[in-house]
Amino acid sequence: MDYQQAIDFLFPLHRFGIKPGLERIEALLDALGHPERKLGTIVHIAGTNGKGTVASCVASIFKASGRKTGLFTSPHLVDFTERIRIDGQQISQQQVADYCGKMQPAVIETGATFFEATTAMAFAFFADEGVDAAVIETGMGGRLDATNVVQSDIVIIPSIGMDHTEWLGGSLREIATEKAAIIKPGSRVFTAVPEAGEAFAPIREAVEAAGAELHQVEREAEWSVEEVCLGALALRISLEGGEPRQIRAALTGSFHAPNVCLAIMAARSLGVSWEHIETGLPRLGAFGYRARLERIADKPVVMLDVSHNPEGMQKTAQSILELRNCFRFLYVIIGVAADKDAAGIVHHIAPVADEIVAVELPTERSLPAAELERLCAEAGAQHVSSRSTVAEALEFLDGRAEHEDMILVTGSFYLAGAVAAMERFRSARASAGAI
């Protein structure tokens, strides 16, 4: 089996959709010799927003400390191999093909989904390569997520919001209960979920039931934002009243501060030095951290973002306002999946934008561009139009945007992936290095 054959085998597994439950992943892992038991120190991350950021921060810090570190995240932007990394290096296409060949009979027999097969592959790769630590991001939820077969040493829950309600429940408490189910006996749990909020109680209850150890970021960390600019965030952080440290992370937006603190708290609990933390956080790009307000071009600045729910878009809008003096005019290209809260999403970005172009995503799950245009207008956008594709939107803005302007592409991983794959942006990123 070669790589294309592997992809042709894996991607049709999407037809099985989402099938909650652990029986299929357990059967796959049994066929692979239970690699989930050979992953070293396990950091398991669940939550609504911030999972990818925290995962990359932890992995980069671990790498700086000398730990051989596996990182499993989803979805990918351009190529499947982005999902599975060791010390920042993507799994090779040949290795993907080899693991698909090994798993194929069990996948067919069990009716495993795409995410289950990908999870099993990641765990097998990490175990075979002898990682010292594995940083694992849940796909959706927690209790019945395919990743929830590991015995986590560290659990991190950055946030709880209203997303995937058709699967996880219609209240914050129900969603938090599902996500907190990744907590295992003996886990150290770190969260930025506010203690006063509805979502905190299920986390505390899961901790108590498991005899785990709970750490809440606002209770144990203090921070101040020293500087916010494109691709860099400077913080002054103190843990439990200790000596303040100056930290720089390769992130855009002050809203990332609690996520950085969570990663630092988790690392420090495992004995990682401040020096390794200070070395790792500026190097997130080397761990594949992308499309979270990522600058991919200049003159005009083009920013790539994957916010796809109201809470995430609120933070994106906040970050854009923090950077408002860096550009003259803000154009927004937005596409949203039909199963997302599109009205809630555009409510946050419409007042910030000078002009919006609504587009359709390169997937059958897309909300029609005309419908998204209407929602933007209802949310208060003064200048809004629609195009069928993001390529058409960019061509339209090529004739309008000046060097001092910003173009923000946001609303979906599908949209970000389509833009990231365009040759004009791949070439610009390669010539500038990982911005």
Side-chain angles (χ1 to χ4, degrees):
M1 180 180 290
D2 63 22
Y3 182 63
Q4 188 56 54
Q5 290 172 324
I7 293 302
D8 291 343
F9 168 66
L10 282 172
F11 277 68
L13 298 178
H14 279 300
R15 71 183 182 275
F16 294 128
I18 297 170
K19 296 196 295 187
L22 301 179
E23 60 276 4
R24 291 172 301 278
I25 184 65
E26 288 171 343
L28 290 182
L29 294 171
D30 181 63
L32 291 168
H34 290 287
E36 78 280 9
R37 301 173 185 173
K38 310 165 190 174
L39 302 180
T41 300
I42 295 174
V43 179
H44 202 183
I45 304 171
T48 304
N49 293 309
K51 289 184 298 181
T53 299
V54 172
S56 292
C57 286
V58 172
S60 192
I61 290 170
F62 279 6
K63 168 65 165 55
S65 74
R67 292 168 168 84
K68 187 175 185 179
T69 303
L71 175 63
F72 177 51
T73 58
S74 60
H76 62 269
L77 286 183
V78 179
D79 189 82
F80 174 83
T81 58
E82 297 167 20
R83 294 169 178 253
I84 304 170
R85 300 172 183 265
I86 293 179
D87 287 347
Q89 296 299 309
Q90 296 166 211
I91 187 173
S92 73
Q93 293 185 351
Q94 185 57 54
Q95 287 166 319
V96 170
D98 291 345
Y99 282 112
C100 279
K102 291 178 184 177
M103 294 191 304
Q104 188 173 32
V107 169
I108 293 171
E109 181 179 350
T110 61
T113 67
F114 171 85
F115 187 71
E116 289 164 344
T118 304
T119 300
M121 180 188 302
F123 292 175
F125 177 55
F126 295 161
D128 289 346
E129 295 295 318
V131 298
D132 301 311
V135 181
I136 300 165
E137 179 188 346
T138 58
M140 183 187 73
R143 180 173 63 93
L144 299 177
D145 187 80
T147 64
N148 199 27
V149 292
V150 298
Q151 296 298 312
S152 51
D153 300 287
I154 299 288
V155 167
I156 305 178
I157 304 176
S159 69
I160 301 291
M162 297 296 291
D163 202 8
H164 300 299
T165 54
E166 69 275 26
W167 296 102
L168 304 179
S171 70
L172 289 177
R173 181 178 180 86
E174 290 175 304
I175 294 170
T177 298
E178 289 294 312
K179 294 180 185 290
I182 69 170
I183 296 170
K184 303 298 195 304
S187 297
R188 297 175 190 165
V189 182
F190 299 86
T191 186
V193 174
E195 289 184 280
E198 178 185 355
F200 186 77
I203 297 173
R204 184 184 62 242
E205 291 161 7
V207 166
E208 292 171 351
E213 183 181 302
L214 180 59
H215 302 269
Q216 203 279 339
V217 69
E218 291 181 347
R219 180 183 290 271
E220 299 183 20
E222 294 182 1
W223 66 86
S224 59
V225 177
E226 305 286 296
E227 182 185 7
V228 179
C229 58
L230 290 173
L233 175 64
L235 301 171
R236 186 176 175 85
I237 295 175
S238 174
L239 299 186
E240 296 186 292
E243 184 74 19
R245 307 287 299 209
Q246 298 288 339
I247 298 293
R248 292 188 69 86
L251 298 166
T252 299
S254 61
F255 75 91
H256 285 298
N259 296 330
V260 174
C261 288
L262 286 172
I264 292 173
M265 290 166 66
R268 291 291 290 160
S269 78
L270 293 170
V272 177
S273 72
W274 279 104
E275 288 72 24
H276 289 139
I277 290 167
E278 292 162 0
T279 300
L281 287 172
R283 299 178 178 175
L284 299 183
F287 253 94
Y289 184 79
R290 294 208 59 192
R292 275 79 169 183
L293 287 170
E294 176 194 7
R295 183 177 63 190
I296 59 171
D298 290 304
K299 297 181 181 181
V301 167
V302 179
M303 299 287 284
L304 203 55
D305 183 60
V306 291
S307 295
H308 55 274
N309 55 46
E311 293 86 353
M313 192 59 72
Q314 182 180 30
K315 291 181 171 62
T316 290
Q318 171 194 329
S319 298
I320 292 298
L321 288 174
E322 290 174 343
L323 300 168
R324 194 63 183 86
N325 64 349
C326 297
F327 54 91
R328 181 188 68 94
F329 205 81
L330 173 64
Y331 294 96
V332 173
I333 298 175
I334 187 168
V336 178
D339 60 349
K340 298 298 181 181
D341 179 5
I345 290 169
V346 301
H347 169 76
H348 293 292
I349 198 62
V352 177
D354 294 296
E355 183 169 349
I356 297 178
V357 184
V359 300
E360 295 189 8
L361 305 177
T363 170
E364 67 279 359
R365 294 177 52 206
S366 179
L367 187 72
E371 173 67 9
L372 188 55
E373 178 185 357
R374 181 185 66 79
L375 291 173
C376 290
E378 291 178 356
Q382 296 299 306
H383 302 281
V384 58
S385 61
S386 60
R387 298 291 186 278
S388 295
T389 68
V390 68
E392 292 176 11
L394 286 165
E395 183 178 0
F396 169 66
L397 293 183
D398 281 342
R400 297 172 67 82
E402 303 290 341
H403 283 187
E404 301 80 14
D405 296 338
M406 176 186 288
I407 299 172
L408 172 67
V409 182
T410 189
S412 169
F413 274 95
Y414 289 108
L415 193 63
V419 174
M422 291 180 178
E423 182 58 35
R424 62 187 281 189
F425 297 118
R426 296 181 78 159
S427 298
R429 191 169 186 269
S431 62
I435 298 173

